[in-house]
Amino acid sequence: MEFKKFKAATVQTSPVFLNVEKTIEKAISFIKEASQNGAQLIAFPEVFVAGYPYWNWVLTPVQGSKWYEELYKNSVAVTDASMQPLYQAAKDHNIHIVIGINERGDSYGEIYNTNLIIDNHGKLIGKHRKLVPTWAEKLTWTSGDGSSLKVYNTEIGPIGTLACGENTNTLARFTLLSQGELIHIANYISLPTAPPEYNMAEAIKIRAAAHSFEGKLFTIVSCSTISKEIVDILKPEAPQIEELAQRKDAAFSGFIGPNGAVIGQPLIDDEGMIYADIDLEKCIQPKQMHDILGHYNRFDIFDLRVNTAPTRKITFIDNHEDFNKR
């Protein structure tokens, strides 16, 4: 059995707010740089294409409604022409990509918070829709379903992903672990609008460490930042955003090993891209102590059942009888 070793990159930056094409261009610039530095995997923040609905936290729902419309206009379908350069970049640079998007739903005006998993051949091998939007996010996103709780086998190893707060969901995390996940991508947004006593950077690190330690795997965290551009766009209607955006410990990006410890120096608040060497063989020995998928569990006591069927919004039944034949 071959145990993969590879270099991974993670990005902490802001999108070009509500601009799909320019955000994709920005992503590709990071992809090129990561590939030149030997990375075979790159992680991008939650809903990086093309922005997070910060207005939900600083405006009333009525005031924020026009921004919801703008976000929908700048949401994407995975088959859109604007997305093709991203897939091509994965192929051209022989790199795996996990990136968050605002995905258009089938219903006009419907948006999902979605993570895409793109392999090094430029193929979209999977997408995960956030199961439960967090708090004020419920004003924007529709909930995903169990059909996207999957782990994807790639040339560098099995990859799974969850977005932001759902990394707190023990059952969702266990569902990925049970499918052999060894590389977990946890992506987030900078959240200076959280309650004053809430340390977002520390909360992100705690969640990532918990998943890595419990599952004996590598977690790669990518978090966005709030650019001056985003502040300037929202400030006329929400002047408090300028002060909030200065808040410290609002973003954390980095790498966590199977022992739950941070690898190298993480990014806290600062923009940039950092790297780590991933050796999946290091996931073996810790399992001897706690293998919650094997000897360190009691499946005769515990029984987790996961509904992986896609949500069915309507069922058409035709039981009409032809009375003329009676």
Side-chain angles (χ1 to χ4, degrees):
M1 184 176 182
E2 183 181 3
F3 300 99
K4 303 292 185 180
K5 297 180 181 181
F6 63 93
K7 180 181 282 190
T10 190
V11 176
Q12 183 158 285
T13 192
S14 60
V16 181
F17 199 49
L18 301 180
N19 189 315
V20 172
E21 287 75 15
K22 289 188 177 179
T23 298
I24 293 292
E25 289 175 8
K26 184 171 184 177
I28 291 173
S29 69
F30 279 104
I31 290 165
K32 289 178 179 178
E33 181 181 340
S35 176
Q36 288 168 357
N37 288 320
Q40 293 180 265
L41 169 65
I42 184 170
F44 286 95
E46 179 184 18
V47 290
F48 189 63
V49 183
Y52 180 81
Y54 284 107
W55 52 86
N56 286 353
W57 301 87
V58 291
L59 298 174
T60 69
V62 173
Q63 290 170 327
S65 186
K66 71 173 187 178
W67 290 105
Y68 175 88
E69 185 173 336
E70 280 301 308
L71 185 65
Y72 179 72
K73 290 175 181 177
N74 285 277
S75 61
V76 296
V78 296
T79 55
D80 282 357
S82 60
M83 295 295 293
Q84 302 311 309
L86 186 67
Y87 306 144
Q88 189 63 45
K91 181 178 180 180
D92 291 344
H93 299 283
N94 191 33
I95 194 169
H96 301 76
I97 302 168
V98 179
I99 188 170
I101 66 169
N102 286 281
E103 182 193 10
R104 288 199 310 274
D106 293 331
S107 174
Y108 195 59
E110 181 182 50
I111 315 174
Y112 290 94
N113 178 330
T114 300
N115 282 345
L116 303 184
I117 303 93
I118 305 163
D119 72 10
N120 58 321
H121 303 290
K123 181 181 178 183
L124 178 64
I125 58 174
K127 65 179 184 179
H128 168 67
R129 289 174 168 174
K130 191 172 186 177
L131 298 178
V132 182
T134 305
W135 204 347
E137 295 172 357
K138 292 179 175 68
L139 291 168
T140 294
W141 294 311
T142 298
S143 295
D145 57 45
S147 68
S148 71
L149 272 178
K150 293 181 179 179
V151 171
Y152 300 91
N153 290 318
T154 71
E155 292 181 11
I156 57 173
I159 296 175
T161 183
L162 293 172
C164 201
E166 62 181 351
N167 285 282
T168 309
N169 189 323
T170 304
L171 303 184
R173 295 191 296 103
F174 189 85
T175 301
L176 297 182
L177 294 177
S178 71
Q179 297 174 69
E181 183 187 47
L182 292 178
I183 307 159
H184 181 74
I185 311 299
N187 56 7
Y188 290 81
I189 46 85
S190 174
L191 192 62
T193 55
E197 65 277 9
Y198 190 80
N199 185 317
M200 182 67 170
E202 186 67 15
I204 292 172
K205 185 177 74 171
I206 289 169
R207 281 181 278 211
H211 189 60
S212 279
F213 187 82
E214 288 177 1
K216 314 306 181 192
L217 48 63
F218 289 89
T219 295
I220 302 171
V221 180
S222 175
C223 188
S224 65
T225 59
I226 301 181
S227 65
K228 184 178 183 301
E229 173 209 20
I230 296 173
V231 171
D232 289 345
I233 288 173
L234 296 177
K235 188 168 62 173
E237 292 177 73
Q240 67 270 43
I241 193 71
E242 186 168 32
E243 181 179 352
L244 288 169
Q246 304 304 314
R247 182 175 172 180
K248 301 299 182 184
D249 297 319
F252 174 102
S253 295
F255 305 87
I256 312 290
N259 60 355
V262 176
I263 300 170
Q265 189 68 31
L267 288 170
I268 297 179
D269 296 332
D270 296 330
E271 292 207 350
M273 178 165 58
I274 54 177
Y275 301 86
D277 292 320
I278 307 296
D279 180 359
L280 296 187
E281 189 170 342
K282 293 186 182 298
C283 299
I284 301 172
Q285 191 279 329
K287 286 289 191 81
Q288 189 174 18
M289 185 183 298
H290 302 122
D291 182 4
I292 62 172
L293 299 166
H295 68 80
Y296 207 73
N297 218 323
R298 289 290 303 276
F299 295 110
D300 57 329
I301 299 173
F302 305 113
D303 180 13
L304 173 61
R305 301 185 183 191
V306 181
N307 180 5
T308 60
T311 298
R312 180 180 291 179
K313 297 181 179 179
I314 188 168
T315 301
F316 291 98
I317 299 174
D318 184 0
N319 58 2
H320 174 73
E321 294 184 26
D322 187 350
F323 290 98
N324 292 327
K325 294 182 179 179
R326 287 184 153 185

Short mmCIF file of all heavy atoms in Angstrom, two decimals, residues 115 117 127-128 131 146-152 158-163 166-167 169-186 211 215 217 292-293 304 306:
data_model
loop_
_atom_site.label_atom_id
_atom_site.label_comp_id
_atom_site.label_asym_id
_atom_site.label_seq_id
_atom_site.Cartn_x
_atom_site.Cartn_y
_atom_site.Cartn_z
N ASN A 115 -18.80 23.99 -1.62
CA ASN A 115 -17.38 23.75 -1.83
C ASN A 115 -17.19 22.81 -3.01
O ASN A 115 -17.85 21.76 -3.09
CB ASN A 115 -16.73 23.12 -0.59
CG ASN A 115 -16.45 24.13 0.50
OD1 ASN A 115 -16.47 25.33 0.26
ND2 ASN A 115 -16.19 23.65 1.70
N ILE A 117 -14.64 20.35 -5.27
CA ILE A 117 -13.42 19.55 -5.24
C ILE A 117 -13.04 19.25 -6.68
O ILE A 117 -13.78 18.57 -7.40
CB ILE A 117 -13.60 18.24 -4.45
CG1 ILE A 117 -14.09 18.53 -3.02
CG2 ILE A 117 -12.30 17.45 -4.41
CD1 ILE A 117 -15.58 18.50 -2.85
N LYS A 127 -18.89 18.14 -5.14
CA LYS A 127 -19.25 19.41 -4.54
C LYS A 127 -20.04 19.14 -3.27
O LYS A 127 -20.83 18.19 -3.20
CB LYS A 127 -20.04 20.30 -5.50
CG LYS A 127 -21.41 19.77 -5.90
CD LYS A 127 -22.12 20.75 -6.84
CE LYS A 127 -23.53 20.28 -7.17
NZ LYS A 127 -24.24 21.24 -8.05
N HIS A 128 -19.78 19.95 -2.28
CA HIS A 128 -20.48 19.82 -1.00
C HIS A 128 -21.25 21.10 -0.72
O HIS A 128 -20.67 22.19 -0.71
CB HIS A 128 -19.50 19.55 0.14
CG HIS A 128 -20.15 19.68 1.49
ND1 HIS A 128 -21.12 18.80 1.93
CD2 HIS A 128 -20.01 20.61 2.47
CE1 HIS A 128 -21.54 19.17 3.13
NE2 HIS A 128 -20.88 20.27 3.48
N LEU A 131 -24.61 22.17 4.94
CA LEU A 131 -25.84 21.55 5.42
C LEU A 131 -26.77 22.54 6.12
O LEU A 131 -27.99 22.52 5.90
CB LEU A 131 -25.51 20.40 6.38
CG LEU A 131 -24.71 19.24 5.80
CD1 LEU A 131 -24.42 18.22 6.89
CD2 LEU A 131 -25.46 18.59 4.64
N GLY A 146 -27.77 15.41 2.51
CA GLY A 146 -26.79 14.37 2.80
C GLY A 146 -26.10 13.79 1.58
O GLY A 146 -25.09 13.08 1.73
N SER A 147 -26.60 14.07 0.39
CA SER A 147 -25.99 13.51 -0.81
C SER A 147 -24.59 14.05 -1.06
O SER A 147 -23.81 13.45 -1.80
CB SER A 147 -26.87 13.79 -2.04
OG SER A 147 -26.90 15.18 -2.34
N SER A 148 -24.25 15.19 -0.42
CA SER A 148 -22.94 15.79 -0.65
C SER A 148 -21.96 15.52 0.49
O SER A 148 -20.86 16.07 0.51
CB SER A 148 -23.06 17.29 -0.90
OG SER A 148 -23.40 17.98 0.30
N LEU A 149 -22.36 14.68 1.43
CA LEU A 149 -21.45 14.30 2.52
C LEU A 149 -20.59 13.13 2.05
O LEU A 149 -20.79 11.98 2.43
CB LEU A 149 -22.24 13.91 3.77
CG LEU A 149 -22.61 15.02 4.74
CD1 LEU A 149 -23.43 14.46 5.88
CD2 LEU A 149 -21.37 15.74 5.26
N LYS A 150 -19.61 13.45 1.20
CA LYS A 150 -18.81 12.41 0.57
C LYS A 150 -17.32 12.70 0.70
O LYS A 150 -16.90 13.85 0.88
CB LYS A 150 -19.16 12.31 -0.92
CG LYS A 150 -20.57 11.81 -1.21
CD LYS A 150 -20.81 11.72 -2.70
CE LYS A 150 -22.21 11.20 -3.00
NZ LYS A 150 -22.46 11.14 -4.47
N VAL A 151 -16.54 11.63 0.59
CA VAL A 151 -15.09 11.72 0.53
C VAL A 151 -14.66 11.28 -0.86
O VAL A 151 -15.20 10.31 -1.41
CB VAL A 151 -14.43 10.84 1.61
CG1 VAL A 151 -12.93 10.75 1.42
CG2 VAL A 151 -14.77 11.40 3.00
N TYR A 152 -13.70 11.99 -1.43
CA TYR A 152 -13.31 11.76 -2.83
C TYR A 152 -11.88 11.25 -2.91
O TYR A 152 -10.96 11.88 -2.40
CB TYR A 152 -13.48 13.05 -3.63
CG TYR A 152 -14.90 13.55 -3.61
CD1 TYR A 152 -15.32 14.45 -2.62
CD2 TYR A 152 -15.84 13.09 -4.52
CE1 TYR A 152 -16.63 14.89 -2.57
CE2 TYR A 152 -17.16 13.52 -4.47
CZ TYR A 152 -17.55 14.42 -3.50
OH TYR A 152 -18.86 14.84 -3.45
N PRO A 158 -7.55 10.55 0.01
CA PRO A 158 -9.00 10.81 0.14
C PRO A 158 -9.29 12.17 0.78
O PRO A 158 -8.84 12.45 1.89
CB PRO A 158 -9.49 9.66 1.01
CG PRO A 158 -8.28 9.17 1.74
CD PRO A 158 -7.08 9.52 0.93
N ILE A 159 -10.06 13.00 0.06
CA ILE A 159 -10.33 14.38 0.47
C ILE A 159 -11.81 14.54 0.83
O ILE A 159 -12.70 14.11 0.10
CB ILE A 159 -9.99 15.36 -0.67
CG1 ILE A 159 -8.49 15.32 -0.98
CG2 ILE A 159 -10.42 16.79 -0.31
CD1 ILE A 159 -8.10 16.18 -2.17
N GLY A 160 -12.04 15.20 1.96
CA GLY A 160 -13.39 15.60 2.35
C GLY A 160 -13.38 17.07 2.73
O GLY A 160 -12.32 17.65 2.99
N THR A 161 -14.54 17.68 2.79
CA THR A 161 -14.60 19.11 3.10
C THR A 161 -15.90 19.47 3.80
O THR A 161 -16.96 18.89 3.52
CB THR A 161 -14.43 19.96 1.83
OG1 THR A 161 -14.43 21.35 2.18
CG2 THR A 161 -15.54 19.71 0.82
N LEU A 162 -15.82 20.44 4.71
CA LEU A 162 -16.98 21.05 5.34
C LEU A 162 -16.72 22.55 5.42
O LEU A 162 -15.58 22.99 5.52
CB LEU A 162 -17.21 20.50 6.75
CG LEU A 162 -17.63 19.04 6.85
CD1 LEU A 162 -17.62 18.59 8.32
CD2 LEU A 162 -18.99 18.79 6.23
N ALA A 163 -17.79 23.33 5.40
CA ALA A 163 -17.67 24.80 5.37
C ALA A 163 -17.96 25.39 6.75
O ALA A 163 -19.02 25.14 7.32
CB ALA A 163 -18.60 25.40 4.33
N GLU A 166 -20.15 24.20 10.10
CA GLU A 166 -20.52 22.79 10.11
C GLU A 166 -19.34 21.90 10.50
O GLU A 166 -19.53 20.71 10.75
CB GLU A 166 -21.12 22.35 8.77
CG GLU A 166 -20.23 22.47 7.57
CD GLU A 166 -20.96 22.04 6.28
OE1 GLU A 166 -22.07 21.49 6.36
OE2 GLU A 166 -20.39 22.25 5.21
N ASN A 167 -18.14 22.47 10.61
CA ASN A 167 -17.02 21.74 11.20
C ASN A 167 -17.22 21.52 12.69
O ASN A 167 -16.45 20.81 13.33
CB ASN A 167 -15.71 22.49 10.95
CG ASN A 167 -15.25 22.35 9.50
OD1 ASN A 167 -14.71 21.33 9.11
ND2 ASN A 167 -15.48 23.39 8.70
N ASN A 169 -20.15 20.26 13.63
CA ASN A 169 -21.15 19.19 13.62
C ASN A 169 -20.46 17.83 13.70
O ASN A 169 -19.92 17.32 12.71
CB ASN A 169 -22.01 19.30 12.36
CG ASN A 169 -23.20 18.36 12.40
OD1 ASN A 169 -23.11 17.24 12.90
ND2 ASN A 169 -24.32 18.80 11.85
N THR A 170 -20.49 17.22 14.88
CA THR A 170 -19.80 15.96 15.13
C THR A 170 -20.27 14.86 14.19
O THR A 170 -19.46 14.06 13.70
CB THR A 170 -20.02 15.54 16.59
OG1 THR A 170 -19.58 16.59 17.45
CG2 THR A 170 -19.25 14.27 16.90
N LEU A 171 -21.56 14.79 13.92
CA LEU A 171 -22.09 13.71 13.10
C LEU A 171 -21.68 13.88 11.63
O LEU A 171 -21.38 12.89 10.95
CB LEU A 171 -23.62 13.64 13.22
CG LEU A 171 -24.16 13.44 14.64
CD1 LEU A 171 -25.67 13.27 14.62
CD2 LEU A 171 -23.51 12.25 15.32
N ALA A 172 -21.65 15.12 11.16
CA ALA A 172 -21.20 15.37 9.79
C ALA A 172 -19.73 14.98 9.65
O ALA A 172 -19.31 14.35 8.66
CB ALA A 172 -21.40 16.83 9.41
N ARG A 173 -18.93 15.35 10.63
CA ARG A 173 -17.51 15.02 10.59
C ARG A 173 -17.30 13.50 10.65
O ARG A 173 -16.47 12.96 9.92
CB ARG A 173 -16.77 15.71 11.75
CG ARG A 173 -16.77 17.22 11.63
CD ARG A 173 -15.82 17.89 12.61
NE ARG A 173 -16.18 17.69 14.01
CZ ARG A 173 -15.57 16.84 14.82
NH1 ARG A 173 -14.58 16.08 14.38
NH2 ARG A 173 -15.95 16.73 16.08
N PHE A 174 -18.06 12.82 11.50
CA PHE A 174 -17.92 11.37 11.61
C PHE A 174 -18.31 10.69 10.29
O PHE A 174 -17.71 9.68 9.90
CB PHE A 174 -18.77 10.81 12.75
CG PHE A 174 -18.49 9.36 13.03
CD1 PHE A 174 -17.45 8.98 13.87
CD2 PHE A 174 -19.26 8.36 12.44
CE1 PHE A 174 -17.18 7.64 14.11
CE2 PHE A 174 -19.00 7.03 12.67
CZ PHE A 174 -17.95 6.67 13.52
N THR A 175 -19.31 11.26 9.62
CA THR A 175 -19.72 10.69 8.33
C THR A 175 -18.57 10.71 7.33
O THR A 175 -18.37 9.76 6.57
CB THR A 175 -20.94 11.47 7.77
OG1 THR A 175 -22.01 11.37 8.71
CG2 THR A 175 -21.39 10.90 6.43
N LEU A 176 -17.80 11.79 7.31
CA LEU A 176 -16.64 11.86 6.43
C LEU A 176 -15.55 10.89 6.89
O LEU A 176 -14.94 10.18 6.07
CB LEU A 176 -16.11 13.28 6.36
CG LEU A 176 -17.04 14.34 5.76
CD1 LEU A 176 -16.35 15.70 5.72
CD2 LEU A 176 -17.51 13.95 4.36
N LEU A 177 -15.28 10.86 8.19
CA LEU A 177 -14.26 9.95 8.70
C LEU A 177 -14.58 8.50 8.34
O LEU A 177 -13.69 7.72 7.98
CB LEU A 177 -14.14 10.09 10.22
CG LEU A 177 -13.63 11.43 10.75
CD1 LEU A 177 -13.65 11.43 12.28
CD2 LEU A 177 -12.22 11.71 10.24
N SER A 178 -15.86 8.15 8.43
CA SER A 178 -16.25 6.76 8.17
C SER A 178 -16.03 6.35 6.72
O SER A 178 -16.00 5.15 6.41
CB SER A 178 -17.72 6.56 8.53
OG SER A 178 -18.57 7.23 7.60
N GLN A 179 -15.85 7.33 5.84
CA GLN A 179 -15.60 7.04 4.43
C GLN A 179 -14.11 7.08 4.09
O GLN A 179 -13.73 7.10 2.92
CB GLN A 179 -16.36 8.03 3.56
CG GLN A 179 -17.87 7.95 3.70
CD GLN A 179 -18.57 9.05 2.94
OE1 GLN A 179 -18.57 9.08 1.70
NE2 GLN A 179 -19.16 9.99 3.66
N GLY A 180 -13.27 7.11 5.11
CA GLY A 180 -11.83 7.02 4.88
C GLY A 180 -11.14 8.34 4.67
O GLY A 180 -10.01 8.37 4.13
N GLU A 181 -11.73 9.43 5.10
CA GLU A 181 -11.11 10.75 4.93
C GLU A 181 -9.76 10.81 5.63
O GLU A 181 -9.63 10.44 6.80
CB GLU A 181 -12.04 11.82 5.50
CG GLU A 181 -11.51 13.24 5.31
CD GLU A 181 -12.35 14.28 6.02
OE1 GLU A 181 -12.67 14.07 7.21
OE2 GLU A 181 -12.66 15.32 5.39
N LEU A 182 -8.75 11.30 4.91
CA LEU A 182 -7.43 11.55 5.50
C LEU A 182 -6.97 12.99 5.31
O LEU A 182 -6.06 13.45 5.99
CB LEU A 182 -6.39 10.60 4.88
CG LEU A 182 -6.53 9.11 5.20
CD1 LEU A 182 -5.45 8.31 4.48
CD2 LEU A 182 -6.46 8.87 6.71
N ILE A 183 -7.60 13.70 4.36
CA ILE A 183 -7.29 15.11 4.10
C ILE A 183 -8.60 15.88 4.21
O ILE A 183 -9.51 15.68 3.39
CB ILE A 183 -6.68 15.30 2.70
CG1 ILE A 183 -5.48 14.37 2.48
CG2 ILE A 183 -6.29 16.75 2.48
CD1 ILE A 183 -5.16 14.13 1.02
N HIS A 184 -8.71 16.71 5.22
CA HIS A 184 -9.94 17.46 5.45
C HIS A 184 -9.70 18.93 5.16
O HIS A 184 -8.77 19.53 5.70
CB HIS A 184 -10.42 17.29 6.89
CG HIS A 184 -11.70 18.01 7.19
ND1 HIS A 184 -12.92 17.55 6.73
CD2 HIS A 184 -11.95 19.16 7.89
CE1 HIS A 184 -13.87 18.39 7.14
NE2 HIS A 184 -13.31 19.37 7.83
N ILE A 185 -10.53 19.50 4.29
CA ILE A 185 -10.47 20.93 3.99
C ILE A 185 -11.59 21.63 4.75
O ILE A 185 -12.77 21.36 4.52
CB ILE A 185 -10.60 21.22 2.49
CG1 ILE A 185 -9.67 20.34 1.66
CG2 ILE A 185 -10.35 22.70 2.22
CD1 ILE A 185 -8.21 20.50 1.95
N ALA A 186 -11.22 22.51 5.67
CA ALA A 186 -12.18 23.30 6.44
C ALA A 186 -12.00 24.75 6.03
O ALA A 186 -10.97 25.35 6.32
CB ALA A 186 -11.93 23.13 7.93
N HIS A 211 -11.02 17.82 14.99
CA HIS A 211 -11.27 16.87 13.90
C HIS A 211 -10.00 16.06 13.59
O HIS A 211 -10.07 14.84 13.41
CB HIS A 211 -11.74 17.60 12.66
CG HIS A 211 -12.22 16.70 11.57
ND1 HIS A 211 -13.26 15.81 11.74
CD2 HIS A 211 -11.79 16.52 10.28
CE1 HIS A 211 -13.46 15.13 10.61
NE2 HIS A 211 -12.58 15.54 9.73
N GLY A 215 -9.94 12.07 14.31
CA GLY A 215 -9.88 11.22 13.12
C GLY A 215 -8.50 10.77 12.74
O GLY A 215 -8.33 9.95 11.84
N LEU A 217 -6.03 12.57 11.22
CA LEU A 217 -5.85 12.99 9.82
C LEU A 217 -5.31 14.41 9.77
O LEU A 217 -5.09 15.05 10.79
CB LEU A 217 -7.16 12.88 9.04
CG LEU A 217 -8.46 13.45 9.62
CD1 LEU A 217 -8.40 14.96 9.82
CD2 LEU A 217 -9.63 13.10 8.72
N ILE A 292 -11.42 5.64 16.38
CA ILE A 292 -12.87 5.72 16.60
C ILE A 292 -13.67 5.08 15.47
O ILE A 292 -14.89 4.98 15.55
CB ILE A 292 -13.33 7.17 16.83
CG1 ILE A 292 -13.05 8.04 15.60
CG2 ILE A 292 -12.68 7.75 18.08
CD1 ILE A 292 -13.67 9.43 15.71
N LEU A 293 -12.97 4.66 14.41
CA LEU A 293 -13.63 3.93 13.33
C LEU A 293 -13.40 2.43 13.46
O LEU A 293 -13.90 1.66 12.64
CB LEU A 293 -13.10 4.42 11.98
CG LEU A 293 -13.34 5.89 11.70
CD1 LEU A 293 -12.50 6.36 10.52
CD2 LEU A 293 -14.81 6.13 11.43
N LEU A 304 -25.14 5.14 13.80
CA LEU A 304 -25.39 6.40 13.08
C LEU A 304 -25.93 6.08 11.69
O LEU A 304 -25.31 5.33 10.93
CB LEU A 304 -24.10 7.21 12.94
CG LEU A 304 -24.18 8.48 12.07
CD1 LEU A 304 -25.19 9.47 12.66
CD2 LEU A 304 -22.82 9.13 11.91
N VAL A 306 -27.27 7.83 8.10
CA VAL A 306 -27.15 9.07 7.34
C VAL A 306 -28.01 8.95 6.08
O VAL A 306 -27.82 8.02 5.28
CB VAL A 306 -25.68 9.35 6.96
CG1 VAL A 306 -25.58 10.66 6.19
CG2 VAL A 306 -24.81 9.39 8.20
#
